[in-house]
Amino acid sequence: MPTAGQAVAHSRFLAVDLETTGLDPERDRILSIGWVAMDGPCIDLATADQRLVRAEGPVPEASAVIHHITDQRAAGGIALEAALEALFRALAGRIMVAHHAALEIGFLERACQRLYGVRPPLPIVDTLRLAETALRRAGQPIPAHGLRLHTLRTRYNLPAYRAHDALFDAIAAGELFAALLSRQSPDGQLPLGRVLFRPAWLW
């Protein structure tokens, strides 16, 4: 992995999003994983990919209404282990980017604990935390729901995408990260350690 002093412009990232049956990693399950690679602030759309995960039980109606992954659609997915293997191949040598990263961390760690008996040390950038810090430093008010991914994208003049789709939300998080970087460090020389939510090398 890179060092904390390495410039963001010279670092490699993978923007990731999960769709799940709920918000509790202990009880709920991953239904889809989407990702796209970034070299510094540049998004490589050719790397955009997604895996639908076969549900281990019925998909709750409340969650299906949000992400439109029904029992029938989930039944056509692949095993969680195969989806994670694809994700971790894409993540090799890269730092994960996610919006409200605690949710992604919780589900990925729980899944890896169940499947492999370990919780992976994932260095991660949380675009929600970066945006919150930037707004507070600028003295700007943060309204209710003002830190939601699509609300922040509007603030940074980014286009609207379909919400609650793992692939679109991964791309959306990657674009928000690029926008935040362009404001905070136009030359890309900001040290990587300044944007990390959880630097694995400090564990």
Side-chain angles (χ1 to χ4, degrees):
M1 297 302 299
T3 64
Q6 179 172 305
V8 170
H10 302 142
S11 302
R12 303 168 73 225
F13 303 92
L14 191 78
V16 176
D17 184 76
L18 307 179
E19 294 300 325
T20 63
T21 59
L23 301 177
D24 184 354
E26 296 298 323
R27 182 186 62 200
D28 296 308
R29 295 290 181 262
I30 297 170
L31 289 176
S32 67
I33 309 174
W35 64 82
V36 66
M38 303 178 66
D39 294 319
C42 300
I43 298 171
D44 182 1
L45 286 176
T47 67
D49 209 346
Q50 183 176 19
R51 295 292 186 277
L52 183 66
V53 178
R54 185 167 59 247
E56 297 177 357
V59 177
E61 182 178 351
S63 68
V65 167
I66 294 172
H67 47 55
H68 305 294
I69 301 175
T70 61
D71 287 332
Q72 183 177 7
R73 187 179 168 203
I78 63 175
L80 176 60
E81 187 169 10
L84 288 178
E85 287 175 359
L87 170 65
F88 288 131
R89 278 196 301 271
L91 191 55
R94 295 183 180 273
I95 294 160
M96 187 170 146
V97 175
H99 192 75
H100 193 191
L103 189 64
E104 270 72 19
I105 289 172
F107 275 94
L108 289 175
E109 287 190 342
R110 181 70 184 107
C112 288
Q113 183 68 49
R114 285 198 304 124
L115 290 169
Y116 312 121
V118 296
R119 293 178 181 261
L122 295 171
I124 192 164
V125 171
D126 186 350
T127 51
L128 185 152
R129 294 290 186 91
L130 289 182
E132 181 181 24
T133 299
L135 291 172
R136 293 194 187 283
R137 284 177 176 168
Q140 298 184 27
I142 302 176
H145 311 306
L147 294 176
R148 288 183 174 177
L149 176 59
H150 298 281
T151 303
L152 286 168
R153 286 178 59 81
T154 300
R155 180 185 283 269
Y156 285 90
N157 298 314
L158 295 168
Y161 291 150
R162 185 174 68 210
H164 303 297
D165 176 286
L167 180 56
F168 281 101
D169 281 351
I171 295 171
E175 288 180 348
L176 178 59
F177 180 43
L180 289 164
L181 287 178
S182 72
R183 297 279 185 93
Q184 189 171 356
S185 179
D187 63 0
Q189 296 308 302
L190 184 73
L192 181 58
R194 294 273 300 278
V195 301
L196 288 174
F197 170 57
R198 224 172 62 161
W201 50 78
L202 295 183
W203 289 11

